[in-house]
Amino acid sequence: MRFIHTADIHLGASPDAGSAYSQRRAEELWNSLERLVKVCEEEQVDLLLIAGDLFHRQPLLRELKEVDYLFSQLTHTKIVFIAGNHDYLKPSSYYLTYQWKSQVYPLLEQTMGFVEFEELGTSVYGFSYGQKEIREALYTDAFPQKKQPVEILIAHGGDEKHIPIQRNNIMNLGYDYVALGHIHRPMEIEKNHIYYSGSLEPTDKNDVGKHGYIIGEIRGKSVKTEFVPFASREYVHMKVETTEQMTGRELREKIAQMIVSGGTQNLYKIILDGYRSPDQVYDVSGMDAYGNVLEFVDDTKPAYDFEMLAEQNKDNLLGVYIESLKQSPEGSEEALALFEGVKALLETKRG
């Protein structure tokens, strides 16, 4: 039995809301699901498991029709999904009344249920969220009922507000495979048997690293799985080292070269780190050469000559302040206070 495990697709989300990329990224979430459906068809996998948050919020009726159309392209694969904390089941949810035309088997009860596929010798268990937060550890006693030779659990959660999950407990339930959702980065809990697939696409600038899906095969009691990177873009936190001699134009060229090396299709948070000339102020407004920088963070420090400043100001507050802190270890709070304090005192003096 071959399966693909995904989660946290978040259709309807607008990643990077307010930026020039927002509309494009929203459509890319749909495009990634469409590409994944094509993979299911090409690979003729038996099951597509979606472990919650197919949508970013309550799905609209027209959106369910669009998803149903995509799934209807599958000639072999059956789809099982649960609702997560984002697309949880409100009483008015279209999930509850929609009649799927494709081979979709949603587990929409708020208590543990299952669906059997006798032709695959497989049962899939799970339940859906009926509210945004569930603080109870509801998977503690979620044992399989031995309905079929292969038994799989789809689960969504893992933090204190969204069904806490303890590693040892989930390992001891006895499922052949546990498909987890809610955590957006791929994570192995037990090799080949229990995984967070992570989100199919990153949806936040802090969702750094590879994103994709898990493909697996179960033969008897042998389970083999593989994480497949799939996202159209990555969010990258890129640290750029500066020096005292670096000019603004030089910095702009360095950032552009690093983005080319890292991939111009990716989206970046640029973190400036290092030293700069005390009179240098980096204007980052013109440093987004490829239109894919979401944020600049300037953590540079002015390269003060503390010995010279202390000698020149030994008879005033600035000199006393430098002498009291100049031996502070680099990176300490005292060292940071030295830079910030000297900056403030120099500006006051100039003023």
Side-chain angles (χ1 to χ4, degrees), residues 21-39:
Y21 329 102
S22 185
Q23 185 174 356
R24 188 191 323 166
R25 287 293 292 144
E27 184 60 27
E28 283 176 351
L29 302 185
W30 283 90
N31 292 342
S32 281
L33 177 61
E34 183 175 7
R35 289 191 294 120
L36 184 63
V37 167
K38 290 179 180 178
V39 171

Side-chain angles (χ1 to χ4, degrees), residues 269-282:
K269 176 180 179 179
I270 303 296
I271 304 163
L272 305 180
D273 190 51
Y275 292 93
R276 55 178 168 76
S277 174
D279 63 345
Q280 176 71 62
V281 177
Y282 292 125

Side-chain angles (χ1 to χ4, degrees), residues 146-215:
K146 307 301 180 184
K147 295 290 183 179
Q148 294 291 334
V150 173
E151 304 211 285
I152 293 173
L153 173 65
I154 302 180
H156 190 89
D159 60 44
E160 62 179 12
K161 293 183 179 181
H162 306 97
I163 311 184
I165 296 174
Q166 294 184 350
R167 181 177 184 273
N168 289 338
N169 170 247
I170 205 79
M171 288 173 57
N172 293 328
L173 290 175
Y175 289 95
D176 295 280
Y177 185 79
V178 179
L180 294 171
H182 182 60
I183 305 300
H184 281 202
R185 65 184 184 278
M187 186 187 312
E188 174 189 288
I189 305 300
E190 183 186 11
K191 186 173 177 61
N192 288 326
H193 290 277
I194 306 174
Y195 275 99
Y196 282 99
S197 65
S199 57
L200 191 62
E201 287 275 345
T203 58
D204 182 88
K205 64 187 176 185
N206 293 314
D207 285 349
V208 296
K210 300 292 184 183
H211 287 75
Y213 61 86
I214 303 288
I215 189 167

Side-chain angles (χ1 to χ4, degrees), residues 1 20 31 43 72 80 82 85 91 115 125-126 141 146 148 171 176 190 266 276 283 289 326 339 344 349-350:
M1 195 279 291
N31 292 342
E43 298 288 336
S72 71
V80 185
I82 60 174
N85 60 295
V115 57
Y125 297 74
D141 300 317
K146 307 301 180 184
Q148 294 291 334
M171 288 173 57
D176 295 280
E190 183 186 11
N266 295 325
R276 55 178 168 76
D283 179 7
K326 70 178 184 180
F339 281 99
K349 185 178 180 181
R350 293 189 186 102

Side-chain angles (χ1 to χ4, degrees), residues 241-267:
E241 294 290 337
T242 61
T243 65
E244 181 181 357
Q245 294 78 29
M246 186 173 285
T247 66
R249 283 180 170 77
E250 183 181 359
L251 176 60
R252 182 176 62 192
E253 291 177 3
K254 182 175 183 178
I255 291 172
Q257 291 168 1
M258 292 179 69
I259 287 176
V260 169
S261 297
T264 56
Q265 79 280 7
N266 295 325
L267 301 171

